[in-house]
Amino acid sequence: MRTGFLHLGGLRTALYNYIFAKKHGGSFILRLEDTDQTRLVPGAAENIEDMLEWAGIPPDESPRRGGPAGPYLQSQRLALYAQATEALLKSGAAYPCFCSPQRLELLKREALRNHQTPRYDNRCRTLSQAQVAQKLAKDPTPAIRFRLEGEAPAFQDLVYGWNRHEVASVEGDPVILKSDGFPTYHLACVVDDHHMGVSHVLRGSEWLVSTSKHLLLYQALGWQPPRFAHLPLLLNKDGSKLSKRQGDIFLEHFAATGFLPDALLDIITNCGSGFAENQMGRTLPELIAQFNLARITCHSALLDLEKLPEFNRLHLRRLVSDETERRQLVGKLQALVEEAFGSQLQDRHVLDPAYVERIVLLRQGHISRLQDLVSPAHSYLWTRPAVGRAQLGAISEKVEVIAKRVLGLLEGPGTNLTQDVLNRELKKLSEGLEGTKHSHVMKLLRMALSGQLQGPPVAEMMVSLGPEEVRERIQKVLAT
């Protein structure tokens, strides 16, 4: 995996590898490709492992966890790449290249001006031994290129079927070891897959064309290649590429805004293929059970992130129904309330676990994320609204009568405040008021309890707040 912060495309590739490894009793290996020293992002390596753990698909072997085939950072495996390069130079399958960056840039510009694909002209391939020795005296650390010769072998990709790309006729010889001693991806992935005993490589379809190059390298080194499965690209629903500049495709964004890992895993597999059918609400064990590599199609996977809240709502509801998970959600919501309202909390009892749990149980299915419960629309659950008598009077002049009747409902020890009972009683209460519509009574009570004209049903509000708090808020109305 390249070392940049983990985004949805990277998560999807990692997820398919994880599922495939678990399905077949294998190991999921995380190897970090940090050989392009100019593109290293500080903290990215840690972020990738943190986010894979957050997503619930931790690698079996990785830089952090270690493992039998380590080290798992390519920058710590330079001796292996040098060894393989030496073998290729000895057999004549590779050669040193002394071309300056300026010359290569000129070649590229010239090709683009003539509307051609830029390619290296293989100039250093034909240097004699004497010329090489002469140049090495001046430039002891040249780049090393791999000689693309002969027919590229055909290979059967596990998704795209039989493939062959005649790279030698389209491309110049590729650099495999740069002058700084670091390998390019082409050499590093071949050497590492061989030494790590990798049996299957699942990677993005953008590498499909390069596979012929990699197979020629395996051939030149006398090694057995792994099986390849190239995954179709993950695109926006309009078919455009997921751009890292979008910012909101990075996993950290989803974690910080309250989306559940299960919802992300569900949506990125739902829009792709490899599973029996497209159904929402699948958990990781279900994804592993249903996965079949043969079901992956070559079509790009179109991701509709507008549907993510709906996926999240389903997974949140599933967590609420599990007692242990629910306890954890209660703890998270307590922290969110503390963070959102802090000093505004007139009554610390709203942080009581039993109260918070009641809110979670009543609102499940109506919210997409736990964060929704600390939005302005739900602030009445945690702080008392400031409602003036005039505001209520504008809804109905029978404020006092309605308030007293509601207080009457709440009297008596152990009042059984279920939503059904309350709905019945509130209906009766409205019927006894001449010239006042039930809808106006509800509007007035909603305003008195929450300071808002819209929100959950009044009966649910009353059950959420509990009889004592409802009494407190209604008495406050009478006192103004």
Side-chain angles (χ1 to χ4, degrees), residues 6 24 30 44 107 130 154 171 174 190 227 239 272 287-288 343 345 370 399 462 469:
L6 193 60
H24 299 285
L30 174 69
L107 277 178
E171 299 180 34
V190 167
R227 300 294 311 273
L287 289 172
I288 294 167
S343 58
L345 297 177
L370 216 48
V399 177
M462 292 173 78
E469 183 61 25

Side-chain angles (χ1 to χ4, degrees), residues 95-110:
Y95 60 89
C97 174
F98 302 92
C99 293
S100 67
Q102 291 82 351
R103 178 176 187 271
L104 297 172
E105 184 57 35
L106 279 173
L107 277 178
K108 186 177 170 182
R109 280 190 198 164
E110 187 64 28

